[in-house]
């Protein structure tokens, strides 16, 4: 892979992808595999944004059950299987345990029903022939078993625990770089430290972007039939660079809390 800004400025691409997080690199790969000419730029390093700060869980959408969104669950389960297949060295099954308490929701009975439903919706999750990629059925366990697995949690009113299996991606940075390299191998032109600072608009149509080489502080145009905005939390700002355009999107917030393994009751 070579950062070739002269080529970026000279060529006209079918697709220009703005933002090299997981969505951007995957989009570039997908488009290049379809035979389109593709350019991908990121204002910093690839995968430096939200994609560098995630919990590394590849989940099958158990939480979507709360809203009865079975379609989204199926989609998550399918994506989880695909990721296990395309990156078997990075995506592995992981057990999750959630203690259940009297008077707290969701209780043990509700979790038992949710796990049964989860297994039903994911009935085809174990089609892979690799035994290491098997996701066992979820189950609820007794209070004693839960305390054995999670010693130190508050025992008062504890009724048991729920165990289910999802996947973990041990190193998501490596994954993003693998997808990026695959995109480059399929013909995509990728350049980091290239920030989109404006759009080329001709006859009311976006025909490319104005880009700035962050390292040399020089601006140039990149021409493209289609510009895809995968700039994550910056999406609104990037879109705002087009005159009279804005997304006014409300983003969701997430944070990771890292604790010691043992949780001591207060
Ligand atoms: C705390 C937390 C935990 C999470 N845990 C999980 C999890 O366990 N499992 C899961 O599946 N998801 C998780 N997510 C969600 C997941 O991380 C995001 O959905 C995903 O990383 C978003 O990727 P993205 O490509 O849209 O955005 P980003 O990774 O943010 O990529 C956007 C890129 O655009 C670039 N950019 C911005 N402006 C410009 C510009 N003007 N010109 C050029 N480039 C630009 C940025 O530099 C950045 O690299 C979590 C999110 C958070 C915040």
């Amino acid at each position: 892979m070579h950062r070739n800004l002269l080529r970026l400025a000279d060529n006209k691409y079918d697709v220009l992808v703005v933002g090299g997080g997981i969505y951007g690199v995957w989009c570039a790969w997908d488009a290049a595999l379809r035979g389109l000419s593709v350019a991908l730029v990121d204002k910093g390093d690839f995968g430096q944004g939200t994609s560098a700060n995630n919990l590394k869980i590849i989940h099958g959408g158990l939480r979507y059950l709360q809203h009865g969104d079975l379609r989204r669950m199926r989609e998550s389960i399918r994506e989880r299987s695909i990721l296990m297949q395309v990156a078997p060295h990075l995506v592995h099954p992981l057990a999750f345990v959630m203690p259940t308490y009297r008077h707290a929701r969701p209780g043990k009975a509700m979790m038992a029903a949710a796990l049964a439903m989860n297994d039903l919706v994911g009935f085809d999750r174990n089609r892979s022939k690799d035994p290491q990629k098997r996701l066992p059925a979820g189950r609820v366990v007794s209070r004693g078993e839960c305390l054995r697995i999670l010693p130190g949690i508050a025992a008062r009113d504890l009724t048991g625990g729920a165990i289910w299996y999802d996947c973990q991606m041990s190193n998501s940075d490596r994954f993003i770089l693998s997808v990026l390299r695959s995109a480059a191998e399929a013909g995509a032109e990728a350049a980091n430290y290239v920030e989109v600072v404006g759009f080329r608009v001709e006859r009311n149509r976006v025909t490319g972007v104005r880009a700035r080489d962050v390292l040399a502080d020089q601006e140039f145009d990149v021409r493209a039939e289609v510009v895809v905005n995968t700039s994550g939390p910056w999406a609104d700002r990037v879109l705002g660079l087009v005159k009279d355009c804005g997304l006014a999107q409300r983003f969701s917030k997430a944070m990771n809390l890292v604790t010691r393994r043992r949780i001591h009751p207060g």
Side-chain angles (χ1 to χ4, degrees):
M1 205 162 56
H2 191 62
R3 184 177 181 267
N4 191 332
L5 303 193
L6 285 179
R7 235 181 1 233
L8 267 188
D10 278 352
N11 287 346
K12 182 178 176 194
Y13 296 91
D14 293 324
V15 181
L16 167 66
V17 183
V18 181
I22 186 59
Y23 281 94
V25 293
W26 202 291
C27 180
W29 186 24
D30 187 292
L33 286 177
R34 288 167 201 269
L36 299 168
S37 61
V38 180
L40 165 68
V41 295
D42 196 290
K43 67 176 179 168
D45 217 342
F46 296 112
Q48 63 152 20
T50 325
S51 300
N53 184 30
N54 68 77
L55 204 51
K56 296 166 181 34
I57 302 304
I58 308 295
H59 64 80
L62 175 62
R63 69 167 183 260
Y64 304 142
L65 258 188
Q66 301 175 83
H67 311 291
D69 196 344
L70 302 189
R71 234 180 77 155
R72 200 161 174 206
M73 273 183 88
R74 283 293 299 162
E75 188 182 71
S76 301
I77 290 164
R78 193 179 61 237
E79 295 292 324
R80 186 180 63 190
S81 299
I82 291 171
L83 286 172
M84 270 200 277
Q85 206 181 321
V86 298
H89 58 308
L90 291 175
V91 182
H92 307 286
L94 182 71
F96 289 78
V97 188
M98 191 181 98
T100 53
Y101 288 91
R102 212 181 320 275
H103 312 307
R105 292 184 68 186
K108 194 172 172 181
M110 197 184 278
M111 279 311 291
L115 296 183
M117 191 68 184
N118 190 38
D119 289 334
L120 192 66
V121 179
F123 69 97
D124 54 355
R125 66 189 181 280
N126 287 324
R127 289 232 167 116
S128 158
K129 295 205 171 24
D130 184 348
Q132 289 182 47
K133 301 297 169 202
R134 283 192 65 77
L135 295 171
R139 64 198 162 95
V140 290
V141 295
S142 66
R143 180 179 190 277
E145 176 71 0
C146 187
L147 282 171
R148 193 188 61 74
I149 301 169
L150 298 172
I153 60 165
R156 198 168 155 202
D157 287 335
L158 181 72
T159 54
I163 300 181
W164 72 93
Y165 293 80
D166 261 318
C167 287
Q168 186 179 42
M169 176 172 285
S170 45
N171 188 330
S172 55
D173 297 336
R174 235 178 104 186
F175 181 69
I176 288 183
L177 291 181
S178 301
V179 177
L180 175 67
R181 286 185 60 173
S182 302
E185 271 167 35
E189 188 80 61
N192 54 2
Y193 296 102
V194 172
E195 181 178 10
V196 168
V197 291
F199 280 86
R200 284 166 52 101
V201 180
E202 288 165 29
R203 276 185 255 126
N204 221 19
R205 194 171 168 275
V206 169
T207 57
V209 300
R210 185 79 185 151
R212 184 173 73 93
D213 176 359
V214 175
L215 302 178
D217 197 18
Q218 277 175 3
E219 291 194 5
F220 57 98
D221 281 355
V222 186
R223 292 170 300 140
E225 263 314 300
V226 173
V227 178
V228 183
N229 179 4
T230 52
S231 56
W234 294 270
D236 209 7
R237 203 178 300 169
V238 168
L239 205 59
L241 297 171
V242 187
K243 198 167 170 282
D244 299 332
C245 212
L247 201 59
Q249 185 70 30
R250 286 215 335 221
F251 294 105
S252 59
K253 274 189 190 170
M255 70 168 90
N256 293 329
L257 288 179
V258 182
T259 72
R260 279 175 294 161
R261 184 148 195 244
R262 277 175 164 239
I263 303 163
H264 296 282

